[in-house]
Amino acid sequence: MAYIFLITEGVALVAAAFSFVMNGFIILIFATKRIPNAENLRLAFYLAIGDIGYALAAMIHVGYEFYMWNDVYFDYNPYFIIYTNSFLPAHLKIVVIVSLGMAFDRVLAIYFPVFYRQTSRTQYANITFIVGFVWFQFDYWFQMLTPDFVHHPNCPTMSCFVNKYFLMYVSYSNTFCGVLIVVMSIFVFIGLRKISNKKTSTGSSTPVASNSTQKSKALNVFQQANRITVGILFASLFFVTIPSLLVTLYEEITGVSLFNKLGPFYIAAILVNGVADASVFIVLNFKNIGKKSGSRRNTVVTTTQSRFTSENPRKMTLVK
């Protein structure tokens, strides 16, 4: 049994390293403004922050467990375990809330396009991140203020050290968020399916309008956001929602924590989710990384000039 814990911890550390590097790269390209349409992708930036924070906390927490591993006897320091673990459920809330925010953003874009165009993408992303950060604070202080800080020899995971009410709260809150992700995903997938069917029925040959360039760019942004969101939702379903449901159901049926059987497997699954999130974003934006999009003012001027010259060709010299 002890070797299962060692394998799980090793997988978690490898996934944490990949997640840290890949999400750090995403944060870097946003910070250096090397990604077009950055304002429309701000939620992906906040998701990378949540994933890299989780990866860093996991490397410290799981790294300590890996270093202290023994196939006969081990006794973790309760203060170190609780202090380092307190950031893991907290960062997970940021990841889950931002993922839900991305799903709801697609729901608005698909089902309520008029309202969607009237809302600020930056403001929406900032509010989503603030909600996740507030929940981060609640989870962090709930865990820090409730444990007994006592030794539990041969206890493989944090489940022995934290308060049982906190453990129950984390289990049910993660399950609740997972159910919301499933519901949002269904709405997004159905909406995208309807859009795909509508395109198939109407055909792809449409007359070219005078502002076809702007429409094409807007359509590309919409489709790119859909691809990123769908990829991240699939990753959340497989690596966050399903493991969370397994943990809750197993404990409800058997009365035994699955962590005590497999070690920090749920941490490993969430770290793999962080790698998947980063992979989806990097792969789908690989060709655009390094390109700087023009400012909004230049875009507006260009659009205005194009419309002006198309309406009155005689005044083209004035535009120039």
Side-chain angles (χ1 to χ4, degrees), residues 88 104 119 145 172 203 221 229:
L88 294 175
F104 188 66
T119 59
L145 297 176
Y172 284 107
V221 171
T229 302

Side-chain angles (χ1 to χ4, degrees), residues 60-71:
I60 298 173
H61 178 77
V62 180
Y64 172 77
E65 294 180 340
F66 188 85
Y67 177 77
M68 296 294 293
W69 178 88
N70 190 291
D71 61 342

Side-chain angles (χ1 to χ4, degrees), residues 1-11 69 261-265:
M1 184 66 70
Y3 287 97
I4 295 178
F5 301 151
L6 185 65
I7 294 172
T8 305
E9 291 163 2
V11 171
W69 178 88
K261 295 288 185 181
L262 301 176
F265 85 98

Side-chain angles (χ1 to χ4, degrees), residues 14-80:
V14 172
F18 275 101
S19 180
F20 184 85
V21 172
M22 297 174 70
N23 285 287
F25 173 71
I26 292 174
I27 293 173
L28 178 64
I29 63 176
F30 272 98
T32 56
K33 300 180 180 180
R34 305 300 297 179
I35 186 74
N37 303 309
E39 294 304 316
N40 293 320
L41 300 174
R42 184 177 288 266
L43 282 172
F45 170 67
Y46 288 146
L47 183 63
I49 291 177
D51 282 328
I52 198 174
Y54 193 94
L56 179 60
M59 283 191 286
I60 298 173
H61 178 77
V62 180
Y64 172 77
E65 294 180 340
F66 188 85
Y67 177 77
M68 296 294 293
W69 178 88
N70 190 291
D71 61 342
V72 178
Y73 177 84
F74 52 87
D75 186 10
Y76 294 145
N77 186 315
Y79 289 92
F80 192 89

Side-chain angles (χ1 to χ4, degrees), residues 241-289:
T241 303
I242 293 177
S244 178
L245 291 174
L246 287 176
V247 171
T248 304
L249 291 175
Y250 185 85
E251 190 167 357
E252 287 290 336
I253 295 172
T254 65
V256 179
S257 174
L258 200 56
F259 297 109
N260 294 332
K261 295 288 185 181
L262 301 176
F265 85 98
Y266 188 46
I267 295 176
I270 297 169
L271 291 168
V272 173
N273 177 73
V275 175
D277 290 342
S279 299
V280 167
F281 183 85
I282 292 173
V283 170
L284 293 180
N285 290 281
F286 185 77
K287 294 182 180 179
N288 295 324
I289 293 175

Side-chain angles (χ1 to χ4, degrees), residues 161-193:
F161 296 89
V162 298
N163 182 277
K164 64 177 182 179
Y165 296 108
F166 172 78
L167 197 62
M168 185 183 302
Y169 154 76
V170 168
S171 177
Y172 284 107
S173 63
N174 290 342
T175 302
F176 173 74
C177 291
V179 172
L180 286 181
I181 289 177
V182 172
V183 173
M184 290 290 183
S185 300
I186 292 173
F187 278 106
V188 172
F189 298 153
I190 291 176
L192 293 178
R193 181 76 176 181

